[in-house]
Amino acid sequence: GSQYKWNRCSCLAVIFIHERKEDDLMAKAKKLASGSWRCQVYSHTETVIDPVTNVKKERRIYRSFTSDDPSPAGRRKAEAMAAEFALHKEDFKITTSYLLKEAMERYCETKSNILSPSTLRAYKSLIRNAYPSILDRRTDKLSSVDVQKAINQLSEKHSPKYVKNAYGFLTAVMTLYQPDLTLNVKLPQAVRPDTYTPSDAEISRLIEFFRVNDSFMLNAVYLGAFGTLRRSEVCAATAEDITGNRLFVHKAMIQSENGEWEIRKTKTYSSARFVDLPEFVIAGFPKQGRLVPLTPNMVTDRLRRSLRKLGLPHFRFHDLRHYAASIMHTLGIPDLYIMQQGGWKSDNVLKNIYRNAVPDYQKKFLQDMSEHFKEIDEGNTAPSTCNTNRKKSKKYATRYATRNKKIP
């Protein structure tokens, strides 16, 4: 006999049934009232706090995929996109969605030690005023149409430059918090800035007035008109920054968020520079401390009152910088030196904004040009006054090209 005893028993078959979760099921598209197909698929779970009970709970987050095609083909397309996401969702970068206002505030907070105080003030002003129609929209729900409508409303009451700055801030925020979103928005056409460049005679009258009445503003005008300095740079410059006839520009007086004036480094790398000044200008500066112990707002106010008292056309202190660049260009000084003197990063900025024609020189050049064409018309090909001016410009260009090699 067999050493094994076989007893009659029941044969039990155990079948393991895998319980399929909703996440594993194929998402089905539903038709919307608009005729489009929408398919939602599970993305991930977030922990949120109930605002009423203050208790943490899990919230399931779904991604939506839509197709504007109302036919069955559109349904299949929406489901295919959802299936593709479900298959590779671990590879997708999950971004947190915020209200646009919250995202903008978070952006300013995360870069509070990187952006300048003036930039932060401008951004917070944009948060308050630029996008009232979309501030309460979530970043992941914003579309190009939404942003285009907001930009259109903004353009009704603001300049193209303001709109461009506002849109630049919005795109920076969206790039940080919604990097997968691509906006296709049309901005208003840029308008050529209507800037005024004071003449030699107007600068001379201003200098004479300040020489008698305001030594601080005299130094300010010297630094702006002869040295290309901005208001903020003028108010931060000190006697300790001067070596020989050179001023090291590396600081600026700016207003903090709470309205207090403070001195910081210049806003950009190219703004830090060495500026050559005439000897008579250097000789009139104080031997210690700030060269102009005023705030930028005080400089603006004193200039405005003085122009009104002298009966001169109104212009900004920044227009003295226009004057300096335009005069140097008129004298034939190479662009490279002008860029270094003024702290301009590229020649494009110099050409587009600061090459304004000084009225006195523009009139003289037009006169020379007319005389030259008249001589050509009369058959006179002898050298005219234009050739003399050309030689003079070449002389200046050669002189400053040589000096430029010594600039650090």
Side-chain angles (χ1 to χ4, degrees):
S2 173
Q3 59 178 339
Y4 300 104
K5 292 184 178 180
W6 294 93
N7 297 325
R8 183 183 298 176
C9 64
S10 301
C11 182
L12 178 63
V14 180
I15 302 176
F16 292 93
I17 302 176
H18 176 64
E19 182 181 356
R20 300 181 67 182
K21 296 183 179 180
E22 180 186 354
D23 304 346
D24 302 320
L25 299 176
M26 178 65 181
K28 300 295 182 181
K30 295 181 180 180
K31 201 162 192 177
L32 304 177
S34 61
S36 302
W37 290 97
R38 183 181 69 181
C39 189
Q40 291 183 310
V41 62
Y42 171 78
S43 172
H44 61 285
T45 300
E46 290 182 355
T47 300
V48 296
I49 299 178
D50 190 302
V52 179
T53 62
N54 203 30
V55 175
K56 291 183 179 181
K57 62 179 182 179
E58 302 296 319
R59 183 176 66 179
R60 296 168 63 84
I61 306 300
Y62 290 83
R63 287 285 295 269
S64 295
F65 300 88
T66 60
S67 173
D68 295 333
D69 184 355
S71 69
R75 175 180 182 174
R76 291 193 296 271
K77 182 178 179 182
E79 291 177 348
M81 290 188 294
E84 177 71 13
F85 172 80
L87 183 62
H88 302 288
K89 64 182 180 181
E90 289 78 9
D91 300 330
F92 283 82
K93 183 179 180 180
I94 298 175
T95 57
T96 303
S97 174
Y98 299 104
L99 295 178
L100 180 59
K101 181 180 180 181
E102 184 182 4
M104 288 179 166
E105 292 172 344
R106 285 175 175 267
Y107 179 89
C108 293
E109 183 181 352
T110 56
K111 299 198 175 185
S112 59
N113 295 323
I114 299 174
L115 300 174
S116 69
S118 59
T119 300
L120 284 173
R121 283 202 319 273
Y123 283 171
K124 292 183 178 181
S125 176
L126 290 173
I127 295 174
R128 294 191 300 269
N129 305 309
Y131 298 106
S133 62
I134 58 175
L135 277 183
D136 58 349
R137 299 289 300 276
R138 303 201 74 84
T139 53
D140 63 338
K141 300 298 182 182
L142 274 179
S143 66
S144 295
V145 175
D146 298 325
V147 178
Q148 184 67 75
K149 288 180 179 179
I151 291 295
N152 190 54
Q153 293 175 357
L154 195 62
S155 303
E156 185 178 355
K157 297 182 180 180
H158 296 280
S159 67
K161 182 178 180 180
Y162 180 91
V163 175
K164 181 181 179 181
N165 292 340
Y167 181 68
F169 174 48
L170 174 64
T171 54
V173 172
M174 297 301 289
T175 299
L176 183 62
Y177 294 108
Q178 214 66 38
D180 296 332
L181 178 64
T182 301
L183 294 175
N184 184 17
V185 175
K186 176 71 174 177
L187 299 180
Q189 185 175 357
V191 178
R192 186 180 183 87
D194 184 17
T195 56
Y196 180 80
T197 304
S199 65
D200 285 345
E202 291 165 347
I203 296 295
S204 181
R205 286 190 62 191
L206 203 57
I207 288 175
E208 287 300 322
F209 178 80
F210 286 140
R211 182 176 285 123
V212 176
N213 297 284
D214 194 334
S215 60
F216 295 158
M217 284 302 295
L218 175 63
N219 290 340
V221 171
Y222 278 154
L223 290 170
F226 299 165
T228 73
L229 270 69
R230 306 173 177 88
R231 279 188 324 163
S232 58
E233 296 168 342
V234 166
C235 297
T238 64
E240 291 71 25
D241 298 325
I242 298 174
T243 303
N245 286 355
R246 279 192 164 182
L247 172 66
F248 180 34
V249 181
H250 61 108
K251 296 171 293 185
M253 178 177 284
I254 53 182
Q255 203 167 15
S256 64
E257 291 186 55
N258 56 14
E260 296 181 357
W261 292 100
E262 53 188 37
I263 294 178
R264 293 196 178 189
K265 295 181 180 179
T266 51
K267 188 174 181 179
T268 62
Y269 175 80
S270 59
S271 294
R273 63 198 186 278
F274 289 92
V275 172
D276 297 314
L277 292 167
E279 292 183 7
F280 72 88
V281 172
I282 296 291
F285 286 155
K287 304 306 178 185
Q288 61 182 4
R290 288 165 56 198
L291 305 182
V292 180
L294 303 172
T295 66
N297 285 352
M298 293 170 66
V299 170
T300 296
D301 293 340
R302 293 192 184 194
L303 176 63
R304 182 174 57 251
R305 292 197 300 266
S306 302
L307 292 175
R308 189 184 304 118
K309 185 175 293 187
L310 292 170
L312 295 176
H314 170 75
F315 58 84
R316 307 165 303 167
F317 185 86
H318 198 78
D319 292 325
L320 298 178
R321 187 166 154 86
H322 298 183
Y323 167 82
S326 300
I327 287 296
M328 286 190 283
H329 177 64
T330 301
L331 295 176
I333 297 174
D335 286 350
L336 179 60
Y337 179 83
I338 301 176
M339 289 167 56
Q340 290 181 335
Q341 185 85 346
W344 290 289
K345 185 176 181 180
S346 69
D347 184 60
N348 291 333
V349 176
L350 187 65
K351 290 177 180 177
N352 294 336
I353 301 178
Y354 295 103
R355 273 191 191 168
N356 304 293
V358 179
D360 298 343
Y361 292 92
Q362 184 181 32
K363 184 177 180 181
K364 181 66 170 62
F365 290 152
L366 288 175
Q367 182 180 353
D368 290 344
M369 183 174 63
S370 297
E371 291 178 359
H372 179 76
F373 291 154
K374 183 178 180 181
E375 292 172 355
I376 295 296
D377 181 64
E378 295 174 352
N380 181 10
T381 56
S384 64
T385 55
C386 291
N387 293 329
T388 303
N389 290 333
R390 197 177 298 116
K391 291 179 181 179
K392 186 176 181 180
S393 294
K394 185 175 182 181
K395 178 184 70 174
Y396 278 112
T398 303
R399 179 193 306 173
Y400 282 96
T402 303
R403 287 183 61 186
N404 189 48
K405 295 179 181 179
K406 301 178 182 179
I407 298 177

